[in-house]
Amino acid sequence: MSEANAITVDVVSDVVCPWCFIGQKRLDKAVAAAGDVEVHIRWRPFQLDPTIPPQGKDRREYMLAKFGSDERIREIHTRIEPLGEAEGISFAFDAIKVAPNTLDAHRLIRWAGAAGEDVQNRLVRRLFQLNFEEGVNIGDHTVLVEAAREAGMDASVVETLLPSDADVEAVRTEIATASRMGITGVPCFLLEGKYAVMGAQDADTLADAIRQVAAAKARGELEKAG
C-alpha cells in the first residue's frame, strides 16, 4: 500500500473520559469503513483534571463536588450508558471507587507507543476497560504494570520506571502543547497533524474525514497547505 494512501491520526484523549472510550470504539469502526486507506493511530495525552493527587480521590465525593448532586450524576451516567452500549461498552460507573490522576497512565501509554502501534492500541483499550467496565483504579502502579504485561510490554521495565520521574515532564509538555493548539476538550482526532475532528463523532463522520484527508494527501495538497 502506498504511503500516499496512509494517514496518521493522533488521538488526544484521557483514559478517564467516557467520551474518549466511545470515541475509540467509533474510530475503530471508522478505520474499518475507510476502505483502502491505511490508518496509523497514535495516542496523545490530555488530563481532564491534573489537580487530582497521585493517590487519587474518592470518586463519589469528587463527582459530588463537581456536579452538585447524586441526581445530576445519575443523569449524566444515564445519558452516556446507552451510547456506550451501542458501541459494545458496558459502563459500570457505580463500580468506580477512585477518581485517579492519569499522569502515570499517560506515561505508560507513551512507553507503549515506543514498543509499537499495536502495543499502544492494546494498552489504551485495556485501560479504558479497566476503568470504565471493571472499576479498577488505573492510577495504581500494580494495575498499570499488569496492563502493560497484558499489552505485550516488558512489565519489569515498567515496574522500574513508574516510581521514577521518567517522562513526567515530556507528558506534561505534550499536554501543554495540546492546550496551546486550542484543544480544551477530548477526544480530539488530529488527521495528518493538520485537520482536527473534535468530540466523539459518529463512525461515518470520522471515516469520511479520513477518506478526504487521505485523498488530499494523495493529490499533494497537504504539503501545499502546510
Side-chain angles (χ1 to χ4, degrees):
M1 192 171 289
S2 74
E3 200 51 38
N5 213 29
I7 72 163
T8 298
V9 178
D10 288 290
V11 189
V12 184
S13 83
D14 197 359
V15 281
V16 290
C17 164
W19 295 105
C20 292
F21 195 5
I22 290 169
Q24 175 258 305
K25 295 286 192 180
R26 291 177 177 173
L27 178 60
D28 281 353
K29 288 181 181 175
V31 170
D36 60 351
V37 180
E38 186 180 324
V39 182
H40 299 288
I41 297 167
R42 295 185 301 203
W43 293 88
R44 301 297 191 188
F46 188 90
Q47 282 196 284
L48 292 178
D49 188 350
T51 69
I52 293 175
Q55 70 273 18
K57 286 184 173 179
D58 177 275
R59 185 175 186 272
R60 185 172 175 274
E61 287 176 13
Y62 177 74
M63 294 293 281
L64 278 172
K66 194 171 181 180
F67 295 109
S69 70
D70 282 321
E71 187 183 12
R72 177 78 181 112
I73 295 165
R74 269 196 306 274
E75 194 181 294
I76 292 163
H77 290 168
T78 302
R79 186 162 56 96
I80 294 171
E81 282 163 353
L83 295 171
E85 203 172 314
E87 305 300 338
I89 300 168
S90 300
F91 280 115
F93 291 113
D94 290 344
I96 307 170
K97 302 305 178 192
V98 177
N101 182 300
T102 54
L103 182 65
D104 286 341
H106 285 303
R107 291 164 68 212
L108 184 59
I109 292 166
R110 181 184 179 88
W111 302 332
E117 187 180 329
D118 288 345
V119 175
Q120 191 181 50
N121 277 318
R122 278 199 300 272
L123 176 70
V124 170
R125 283 160 178 69
R126 187 64 187 126
L127 292 175
F128 278 134
Q129 287 171 347
L130 286 166
N131 182 68
F132 285 113
E133 297 186 317
E134 299 175 31
V136 175
N137 177 11
I138 56 170
D140 185 306
H141 284 189
T142 308
V143 170
L144 292 175
V145 170
E146 185 53 35
R149 181 181 288 112
E150 289 177 26
M153 298 172 72
D154 187 329
S156 60
V157 172
V158 170
E159 205 164 5
T160 304
L161 287 175
L162 275 173
S164 75
D165 288 333
D167 285 327
V168 167
E169 285 313 311
V171 169
R172 284 183 175 146
T173 299
E174 265 203 88
I175 293 168
T177 300
S179 181
R180 278 199 305 277
M181 288 169 68
I183 298 171
T184 54
V186 286
C188 174
F189 304 93
L190 289 172
L191 283 65
E192 283 295 296
K194 293 178 184 287
Y195 300 98
V197 178
M198 301 296 296
Q201 301 292 337
D202 61 73
D204 288 344
T205 300
L206 282 170
D208 191 46
I210 287 167
R211 282 191 293 264
Q212 285 188 40
V213 172
K217 184 180 180 182
R219 292 192 298 268
E221 291 171 10
L222 297 193
E223 286 74 17
K224 291 173 197 166

